[in-house]
Amino acid sequence: MYIVFVTWFIVVWLLTYTYHLVQVDLSSQMVRTTTSLKVENNGVGTVSEILLPFPDHQAKDLAFLMATISEGKGKIKGGSGSLPIRVVNPEETPPALSWYLVSLPKELGKGESISLDVKAVFTHILRPFPEKITQADIQLLAFQDSAYYLSPYAVKVQTLTVKLPEPKVESYTKLENSKVSGSEIKYGPYENLPSFSYTPIVVHFENNKPFAVAQELVREIEISHWGNVQVTESYNILHAGALITGEFSRLDYQARPHVRGASAFRNLVAKLPPRAHSVYYRDEIGNISTSNLWGDSAKTLLEIEPRYPMFGGWRTSFTIGYGSPLQDFLFQSEGKRYLNISFGCPMDEVVIEKLVVKIVLPEGSKDIFVSVPFPVNQSEETKFSHLDMVGRPVIVLEKSNVVPEHNQYFQVYYKFNSLSLFWEPMMLISGFFILFVTCIVYMHADLTISKSSASYMAKLQWDEVQTAIQQFQNIMNRSRKAADSSLKELSKELKPLLSFLQSSPQAVQILPKVEELVAKEKELQEKLMLKHSTVVDCYEKKLGGRETENRVASVQQKITLLRQEVEDLFEIIDEI
């Protein structure tokens, strides 16, 4: 984190009547400026507003500006919040200046005074010098501004103090009443300065703090009324310091990280809610194990370490997520529920160029209202999750150039019917119930349209055909078995008779005819079996009636001829 603390103590003496009282802000990157002003009205009328000018090149990087009433010595008056500030364009003013108007809580009469504290935070004001360094070099920065407070009013007394991160100053602009004391450079006091006084100064100093810049941070805060708030944060981090040039040696870095990698940062620390649970840290590759988690009753700290040390110009992307109890963030007031949660990044040392905060409310939420303590771009979208019918309303808040001072609490108010909480479980139960009932009805229901319909009659006729075919198959099988049995029985009965006739001398003349008769009868039985098999084969092959008749006809002719021969042999035997 690159911080230059600049503290002003100024007394503004209004020599003429005016409605504008000065309050100044001076900054660095991440340059924080605290300005203590004592404004006195020397005019004849009352004053209710004062002007704060900033050079345009600083105003474009102004991230945060706040003015409060002070009791002196940096103490903020109890019960007083920040004063309203808005951008204005006054006429007849010097060019290249941006103007902010601060509204006082009450008008100042002639001779009255008020003490104010103005805090400003600037980003990208510090410039690496040199812009490119090697792995072994330290990082040096240059800070440029004016030793005199830029004021549209005459300044009676002014003192400027520049506090550095370490007492290591390469060089600085030496002016009258300027000196170095430890890690502080003091200019002044200077008295009776006219309006818009300007004297340039440059401070060249060492700063090896993390220059972590989130080019984009997307925070998704999903509310579940079943007792959990799930937070998911996706980071795209850049080291915005001096660019590293030359080769990188991991061996040298691991051996002497504070010497061979002084300008790099190795870890970041995120401050999570005290009762955060289910914490994870991963990137596109998967889970990153180089992280530590510890905490107490006040906070939970997550120390994350990227897969590689971050040098100037290097980038990394990762995601952290965690859950928290709903009762820590969701409350009720005047018939509405409201979420009270912090806006910015949980890492103090990160500057965010673009922050997107998405608040996913439960399905059925309505009358949504958002209260943020600073200007943001707001839009709405819809997210669909499991069992959603119309989707969950999502409030999208966007802000550029976000610093830790923006990590303030904001509120999202909405109405939600508690009965809607049971909609998804009931829908799930109903779905299973309908599925089971449908299965039961399908298994027991007669799905035919009518017993007199054509489809039903066709089904009955087909059933009758199937029954007839089954009976036919049974008969054919019985016939085949009967024929086989009959043929075996015939052979068994004829065998002893043939043996007797073959052994009897009286049967020599008739024996040949008997043997011929037996052969013809066997052949006849075989042809009958062949006819039976032919019919069955034609049926199994689903041949037409004419082709079946043609195949059976040739067999039938042989059967008829054999029967005639058998009859003739019987007659011959009878005659013998």
Side-chain angles (χ1 to χ4, degrees), residues 145-161:
D145 207 358
S146 172
Y148 298 152
Y149 180 74
L150 183 61
S151 168
Y153 313 106
V155 179
K156 185 177 181 180
V157 180
Q158 171 197 316
T159 300
L160 168 63
T161 301

Side-chain angles (χ1 to χ4, degrees), residues 482-499:
D484 291 341
S485 177
S486 176
L487 185 60
K488 291 179 181 179
E489 188 68 24
L490 178 63
S491 299
K492 183 178 179 181
E493 292 178 356
L494 290 178
K495 185 176 182 179
L497 297 175
L498 286 174
S499 299

Side-chain angles (χ1 to χ4, degrees), residues 534 537-538 541 543 546-555:
T534 302
D537 290 343
C538 292
K541 295 179 180 180
L543 301 178
R546 184 173 298 278
E547 186 174 356
T548 302
E549 290 176 359
N550 293 336
R551 292 189 178 188
V552 172
S554 61
V555 179

Side-chain angles (χ1 to χ4, degrees), residues 1-145:
M1 180 172 57
Y2 20 102
I3 305 173
V4 175
F5 291 99
V6 181
T7 305
W8 297 88
F9 179 75
I10 300 171
V11 178
V12 180
W13 190 269
L14 299 183
L15 301 177
T16 59
Y17 171 80
T18 179
Y19 288 95
H20 307 284
L21 301 177
V22 172
Q23 185 175 352
V24 172
D25 207 297
L26 197 56
S27 63
S28 155
Q29 176 166 330
M30 186 184 313
V31 176
R32 289 180 169 88
T33 301
T34 302
T35 305
S36 297
L37 296 173
K38 185 176 182 181
V39 183
E40 184 175 345
N41 181 11
N42 280 344
V44 295
T46 59
V47 176
S48 61
E49 298 170 330
I50 61 173
L51 283 172
L52 299 179
F54 294 94
D56 287 344
H57 68 275
Q58 291 183 354
K60 67 182 181 65
D61 293 319
L62 178 61
F64 181 81
L65 179 62
M66 181 180 68
T68 56
I69 300 176
S70 172
E71 294 181 341
K73 297 183 180 180
K75 297 181 179 180
I76 299 176
K77 187 175 181 179
S80 64
S82 59
L83 301 177
I85 302 177
R86 68 179 188 273
V87 178
V88 294
N89 294 303
E91 298 179 356
E92 299 181 0
T93 56
L97 292 179
S98 298
W99 294 85
Y100 294 83
L101 185 67
V102 180
S103 299
L104 300 177
K106 63 178 182 178
E107 293 184 345
L108 288 180
K110 180 181 179 181
E112 294 181 343
S113 63
I114 187 172
S115 295
L116 303 176
D117 283 336
V118 179
K119 183 176 183 179
V121 181
F122 292 80
T123 60
H124 309 299
I125 296 294
L126 288 177
R127 302 300 178 192
F129 188 76
E131 296 182 351
K132 295 182 179 181
I133 58 176
T134 65
Q135 178 182 350
D137 293 335
I138 60 175
Q139 181 172 260
L140 298 176
L141 304 177
F143 170 65
Q144 302 179 12
D145 207 358

Side-chain angles (χ1 to χ4, degrees), residues 435-480:
L435 176 63
F436 293 148
V437 170
T438 302
C439 293
I440 294 172
V441 171
Y442 176 78
M443 296 298 295
H444 293 80
D446 184 2
L447 301 180
T448 56
I449 300 175
S450 173
K451 293 186 178 182
S452 61
S453 63
S455 60
Y456 182 73
M457 296 303 296
K459 184 177 183 304
L460 289 180
Q461 293 174 2
W462 175 246
D463 291 341
E464 293 175 354
V465 170
Q466 286 183 318
T467 301
I469 292 174
Q470 186 66 37
Q471 293 175 353
F472 174 77
Q473 290 177 332
N474 294 337
I475 293 172
M476 294 296 291
N477 290 332
R478 287 200 306 270
S479 175
R480 178 183 293 177

